[in-house]
Each structure stands twice: as C-alpha cells, then as structure tokens.
Amino acid sequence: TQSTWGHQINKNLKEYITTLMNKNLLLITVLALCYVASAAPHLTIDMFTESLCPDCVGFLTQTSYSSFYKVLLKYPDVVQLNLWPYGNARESQDEQGYKFKCQHGEEECIGNLYEACALRKFERVAGFDFAQCLEGGLSKQDGNMDKYAEECLNAEQFEQLRQCVYGQEGNQLMHEIAQKTNSLVPAHQYVPWLVINGKHDEVEETLALTDIESVSYTHLRAHETGRNLVCRLLLEKKK
C-alpha cells in the first residue's frame, strides 16, 4: 500500500537504492580525487537525508561512507560536500513560525534540527562527525534525540546546539533546508538522494548499478589530463 507520504517504496526497490548508493560512493570518491588531482572545476555533492530513515542512517554511519566524506572534506576548495537533513518532511506556517511534520515522527524533526545546527555552527568536519555520531546512537532505540546529541558533544557544544534547535535560529534554518529540498528538479523520490553538480542523473545511476566498472572507466577517461597522474594510474589499473 502507498503511504500518505507518497514516497513509500517496496522492499526490493529499497535494496536497489541501498546497493546503488554504496556503489556510487566508490564512483564519486574516485571522481572527486581526480578533480582534486587535476585542479578541475569545483565539484558539489548535495546529500538529502532525514535523521531516522533507516537507509539514511546506514548511508551516514557505514564505514565506507566515513572514509568517503573524510577524504572529500579535506579538499573544501575543490569539493563542496553538503548534507540537507529534511527528506520527506512537510512544512507549514503560523503566527509563531514554521512548523514541521516529519515522516518518522517528532524525534526525527529534532534530529534533523540538531544536524542542521551542527553543520551551520561547527567546522565542516566536526559537523559531519556529529551527524554520524548522532545517527550511530539510533541503534539504542530509546527515541531520545537530546540524549543522543548530548552523548556526542561536550557540555558547551551541547548547550550551543540546544539553543539553536529549540530557538528561532533553528526554525529559520530548517525552513531554508525545506526550501532547498522542495526546489529539487526533479523532486526527490526517496532518501538518501544525491545531487552532483546540481544534477540527479538516474540513467547514469542505473549504469553504475549494472556495470560500475565501465562507468567508472568512462568517467576517469573523461577527466584524464596529461598531468593527472592519479587518474592515469587508476585508468591503467582498470584496463
């Protein structure tokens, strides 16, 4: 049955998406390293997620992802890595401000706010590390985002984020992320949803799922330059 959110997907499709995201991590990481090595134009990777989505939690906390983002975050002048924690939430407004209804309940809204505030207030690596730590605590299944957040921070950082999460700053910040998510073209169909340099290319993703080696080779060849030893060595390995 379709959920009221209109984004519910069956078990097979969820497995397809998870496999796809895992394989695309390899492809995107290789591409990013080639951009770095060749001083190519700026690469922007936007990741649209939500804090209690099981697939998003797996994507953010698995070992391969940790390595992925830690490499990319070392090169902020070349690779801009963005996390937008909103997903399938819904926004409304009254005289008191913006209201949010999240797919997995109120605690997910609070988790989204914690991640958004950390990414705004902390240095980039620290913000991503916090998001990973917060979602890593979800295995405890006691449904308390404040508790998870406190375990990931020192007292001063926790108080700083709490003020953001439960104040006007966080409310405005989540509104901005809602606008960013709702302006996606095409609209996201599931989360996590990746956009690379402003584009979500499902044809390319399908190719990546069915034949990751040939797609990786094609992209490496496209970004190879005479000076780019990293990409040239990777190309030679794939021959």
Side-chain angles (χ1 to χ4, degrees):
T1 344
Q2 291 285 338
S3 78
T4 55
W5 297 99
H7 297 290
Q8 186 63 38
I9 51 182
N10 62 36
K11 183 175 183 293
N12 290 339
L13 186 53
K14 288 178 101 173
E15 290 173 356
Y16 166 91
I17 290 163
T18 302
T19 305
L20 180 63
M21 298 303 292
N22 289 339
K23 289 194 172 183
N24 270 346
L25 288 179
L26 171 62
L27 175 59
I28 294 165
T29 303
V30 169
L31 280 173
L33 289 172
C34 291
Y35 268 78
V36 169
S38 61
H42 198 282
L43 178 68
T44 300
I45 302 173
D46 292 298
M47 300 178 290
F48 294 84
T49 67
E50 54 193 23
S51 63
L52 281 177
C53 159
D55 291 333
C56 297
V57 172
F59 180 58
L60 194 61
T61 60
Q62 64 183 325
T63 304
S64 59
Y65 178 75
S66 303
S67 305
F68 162 70
Y69 87 73
K70 284 176 181 175
V71 169
L72 298 192
L73 288 172
K74 290 180 180 178
Y75 303 99
D77 294 337
V78 179
V79 183
Q80 177 66 42
L81 186 62
N82 301 313
L83 183 67
W84 306 101
Y86 181 79
N88 297 322
R90 295 291 180 267
E91 181 184 48
S92 59
Q93 187 177 14
D94 61 21
E95 62 282 354
Q96 296 181 330
Y98 299 103
K99 306 293 182 185
F100 303 98
K101 185 175 182 181
C102 293
Q103 183 177 11
H104 298 96
E106 180 61 25
E107 285 299 316
E108 179 168 77
C109 286
I110 296 172
N112 291 346
L113 277 162
Y114 267 112
E115 291 179 9
C117 288
L119 291 163
R120 173 65 60 89
K121 290 186 166 296
F122 296 165
E123 182 269 333
R124 295 295 290 173
V125 174
F128 273 84
D129 282 349
F130 168 78
Q132 183 190 32
C133 179
L134 181 71
E135 297 198 14
L138 299 178
S139 59
K140 299 170 188 174
Q141 295 295 320
D142 59 7
N144 188 330
M145 282 293 184
D146 291 322
K147 177 182 175 182
Y148 300 150
E150 189 171 16
E151 290 175 354
C152 295
L153 302 165
N154 63 40
E156 183 180 347
Q157 290 171 326
F158 178 59
E159 184 55 34
Q160 182 185 20
L161 286 198
R162 270 187 60 84
Q163 289 181 15
C164 174
V165 167
Y166 293 104
Q168 181 58 37
E169 182 180 10
N171 189 254
Q172 180 61 35
L173 179 55
M174 192 52 57
H175 168 63
E176 293 169 10
I177 296 174
Q179 289 184 309
K180 176 80 175 176
T181 305
N182 292 335
S183 68
L184 283 168
V185 178
H188 74 283
Q189 299 170 23
Y190 47 81
V191 286
W193 181 266
L194 259 66
V195 175
I196 303 170
N197 280 350
K199 186 177 181 182
H200 179 85
D201 190 333
E202 293 197 8
V203 173
E204 186 170 285
E205 284 192 343
T206 302
L207 287 170
L209 177 66
T210 56
D211 192 359
I212 185 70
E213 290 301 317
S214 65
V215 173
S216 297
Y217 185 92
T218 300
H219 280 281
L220 286 168
R221 177 63 70 190
H223 294 288
E224 183 189 15
T225 69
R227 324 175 271 159
N228 191 341
L229 181 60
V230 173
C231 285
R232 292 185 69 185
L233 287 173
L234 287 168
L235 280 165
E236 289 304 315
K237 264 187 103 173
K238 287 186 167 291
K239 285 181 179 176

